[in-house]
Amino acid sequence: MLSRLDQPIAAIATAPGRGAVGIVRVSAKDVSSIIAAICPRDLPPRQAVYGPFRAADGSAIDQGLAIHFPAPHSYTGEDVLELQAHGGPVVLQLLLARCLEAGASINLRVAEPGEFTQRAFLNGKLDLAQAEAIADLIDASTEAAARSATRSLAGEFSREIHALRDALIDLRMLVEATLDFPEEEIDFLQKADAQGQLERLQSHLARVMQRAHQGALLREGLHVVIAGQPNAGKSSLLNALAGAELAIVTPIAGTTRDVVRQTIQIEGVPLHVVDTAGLREGADQVEQIGIERAWGQIEKADAVVFLHDLTRADSADYQAADAAIAAKLPVDVPVIDVWNKADAVDGGVRFAHLPRLAAGHPTSDATGRVARDAGTVSEANPTDAPSITLSARTGDGLDKLRKHLLEIAGWQAAPEGVFIARERHLHALRRVDAHLMEAAAHLARQAQALDLLAEELRLAQNALSEITGEFSADDLLGVIFSRFCIGK
Ligand code: GDP
């Protein structure tokens, strides 16, 4: 009985729906029986052969190209057959069914999601970070995200991880060797500049974390909610940011009864912007549901744009309603006060004294989800709540808002280029960082704590290896014996 990972698999590799071309892919230890059953003749390695794909009764299911990638020179590292047919759902289903039928004797089954890539990883074609980059490239929502995924796929991220790992192994070798000669340890570590090595490692790690954090931001984006009283111009602002008529704009209060969301990009960073129902008292039942949903969105946001209407800024009722909303805003979400309709008011700039209703909320780079991940949490400064005046109608001031949203996201394009990263990677990097900090503390205490130092370095290496998916328990011994001559 074959284990699941050894079973031959087949699947339609192209997106569902109609298209010019569709691909059915088979991966197995040996696909020759399927080629013999379906294809018109033998397939030379990696060459496209045109002809009919045959059904069991010899009739043609479709005409197309068949390509055989003999193991190990294939995506999965196994024997792979690709059948390129016309891209109709029925044709491709028939072709897949035919492959399963022809492969019944070798137990061919339908692949689970990601199973081809999983095999590529298990067969050493890709490491884990690269395998993840493939999924991220397919899911990329902006050009910058796609480019950074390509960088990770090409192994840029993995190479940085390997460089960190090699430096860690060098340091571990030194410390482990010192453990064997306790009487000389302090001298030995000092001579070899263990502290300098560790510091260089930490600063390299910090650079990698910065690039990975930016990559995570490109992947996840920032969730921004536009909230405020009805008619403040929330839908207009979303449209202006998106550059299209997405939400319905009308002069009647309470038009946006549900949430409208749109992903826009600023400098390649995806911003998932949500326009919500206007927050007000005394709304009818349907509108009330929209308002509840709006609050639900606000609770989950990475940032809230609290929109106010400049033309009503002098009304006491308007101010009171704004203050009531401000009092209900969750304290741990960054809020930006934005005053809209500057075009309708003489000299909008003189409104610089406008009340900062969001005062007390964390501001730029403070508590955005992604920023928190990177460990860049800074103390909120209540007096610093920003206030931006703009016109959704003319677009004046929009750039200031865009820039501020990027600041909240903690976006700074890394000069060396960003590689896509996931929360899993950031989590592992943070653990590496914590172990290296502990290691530095032990190194400072030297004699008493060398074994603890060695242990922290070992844990740091394990955390690093999780990123690329290697298990390196025995690596170290191998390196010690091959590169370090103890007997000397
Ligand atoms: P919402 O209820 O907050 O989504 O507000 P809307 O976007 O539907 O806008 C309410 C009204 O304000 C509409 O009549 C818009 O044309 C108007 N409005 C929105 N933004 C501006 C602006 O920047 N300047 C001016 N003069 N009017 C605006």
Side-chain angles (χ1 to χ4, degrees):
M1 184 63 189
L2 291 171
S3 85
R4 268 196 95 59
L5 291 172
D6 290 327
Q7 287 169 350
I9 47 173
I12 298 171
T14 38
R18 297 160 61 227
V21 177
I23 298 177
V24 172
R25 191 190 250 173
V26 180
S27 180
K29 293 273 174 286
D30 181 359
V31 294
S32 53
S33 60
I34 300 168
I35 293 174
I38 299 177
C39 299
R41 56 184 171 90
D42 279 353
L43 304 178
R46 296 176 296 284
Q47 282 184 34
V49 173
Y50 180 73
F53 302 130
R54 283 197 309 261
D57 64 4
S59 64
I61 296 170
D62 191 9
Q63 311 262 353
L65 294 175
I67 310 175
H68 178 207
F69 299 90
H73 304 294
S74 69
Y75 179 65
T76 60
E78 295 184 322
D79 223 16
V80 168
L81 172 66
E82 273 189 19
L83 303 176
Q84 303 188 356
H86 291 99
V90 175
V91 179
L92 293 174
Q93 282 298 343
L94 282 173
L95 200 53
L96 175 62
R98 174 64 184 130
C99 288
L100 294 171
E101 180 187 43
S105 59
I106 56 168
N107 290 320
L108 184 67
R109 65 170 168 83
V110 176
E112 286 162 20
E115 226 182 341
F116 288 93
T117 306
Q118 184 188 13
R119 283 184 188 199
F121 165 63
L122 290 171
N123 290 325
K125 289 274 159 184
L126 304 158
D127 67 30
L128 212 48
Q130 287 173 306
E132 289 166 319
I134 290 179
D136 291 340
L137 179 58
I138 292 169
D139 290 341
S141 58
T142 69
E143 198 182 316
R147 274 213 218 99
S148 69
T150 305
R151 247 182 233 122
S152 291
L153 177 57
E156 231 179 275
F157 185 34
S158 307
R159 273 195 292 281
E160 292 284 357
I161 299 301
H162 288 151
L164 284 169
R165 183 203 57 192
D166 292 347
L168 243 175
I169 289 178
D170 282 346
L171 187 58
R172 285 189 66 197
M173 278 163 50
L174 191 67
V175 174
E176 304 261 338
T178 312
L179 277 173
D180 290 342
F181 302 103
E183 62 289 349
E184 298 166 31
E185 64 195 18
I186 294 169
D187 228 24
F188 194 62
L189 284 179
Q190 265 171 6
K191 234 184 259 161
D193 190 25
Q195 189 172 345
Q197 279 191 38
L198 183 55
E199 280 166 8
R200 281 190 293 280
L201 194 57
Q202 284 179 298
S203 66
H204 186 187
L205 176 67
R207 290 197 302 278
V208 173
M209 283 174 87
Q210 161 75 1
R211 291 176 75 187
H213 165 56
Q214 304 302 334
L217 187 57
L218 286 183
R219 183 173 179 273
E220 317 277 345
L222 192 76
H223 293 268
V224 178
V225 171
I226 306 177
Q229 294 187 52
N231 266 337
K234 298 179 293 301
S235 306
S236 305
L237 179 60
L238 174 60
N239 290 345
L241 284 170
E245 292 286 312
L246 296 162
I248 312 154
V249 178
T250 66
I252 307 151
T255 314
T256 309
R257 290 174 175 237
D258 207 339
V259 293
V260 178
R261 63 187 82 229
Q262 170 71 8
T263 297
I264 60 169
Q265 49 170 310
I266 305 179
E267 290 184 23
V269 178
L271 254 59
H272 313 292
V273 186
V274 176
D275 171 23
T276 54
L279 306 170
R280 65 164 173 178
E281 301 293 326
D284 68 31
Q285 221 177 350
V286 179
E287 203 183 329
Q288 195 54 45
I289 295 171
I291 292 176
E292 274 159 31
R293 288 196 185 145
W295 281 109
Q297 293 293 325
I298 290 169
E299 303 283 335
K300 292 189 292 192
D302 293 323
V304 173
V305 170
F306 185 7
L307 198 63
H308 315 283
D309 184 343
L310 260 183
T311 62
R312 289 182 281 168
D314 290 337
S315 140
D317 284 351
Y318 187 80
Q319 285 174 13
D322 255 3
I325 295 171
K328 277 176 74 182
L329 288 171
V331 287
D332 56 349
V333 178
V335 176
I336 316 167
D337 277 312
V338 175
W339 293 87
N340 186 30
K341 310 193 188 181
D343 61 287
V345 186
D346 284 342
V349 190
R350 82 188 153 78
F351 287 87
H353 67 279
L354 286 166
R356 291 181 167 186
L357 289 159
H361 286 269
T363 58
S364 61
D365 75 38
T367 61
R369 175 170 47 78
V370 190
R372 200 157 40 212
D373 288 343
T376 53
V377 178
S378 61
E379 282 304 305
N381 180 353
T383 59
D384 225 18
S387 173
I388 292 171
T389 308
L390 53 73
S391 163
R393 181 165 288 175
T394 65
D396 275 353
L398 273 183
D399 273 351
K400 245 194 301 178
L401 177 60
R402 288 198 185 95
K403 194 165 151 279
H404 196 75
L405 287 169
L406 280 184
E407 264 173 43
I408 287 187
W411 174 252
Q412 288 169 322
E416 312 98 311
V418 170
F419 31 62
I420 208 101
R422 300 176 167 208
E423 176 50 31
R424 182 182 83 79
H425 304 142
L426 293 179
H427 181 69
L429 291 171
R430 279 195 297 272
R431 276 175 31 235
V432 177
D433 191 40
H435 289 306
L436 291 186
M437 263 158 51
E438 286 293 316
H442 291 312
L443 188 60
R445 272 181 252 134
Q446 286 194 350
Q448 310 89 333
L450 269 195
D451 49 347
L452 296 177
L453 166 61
E455 177 62 6
E456 292 298 341
L457 295 177
R458 188 183 71 80
L459 293 172
Q461 190 188 338
N462 282 358
L464 263 185
S465 304
E466 278 173 26
I467 293 176
T468 46
E470 316 151 39
F471 293 98
S472 40
D474 291 330
D475 280 9
L476 183 68
L477 288 178
V479 176
I480 286 179
F481 288 125
S482 67
R483 288 208 268 157
F484 210 84
C485 182
I486 294 275
K488 197 170 175 190

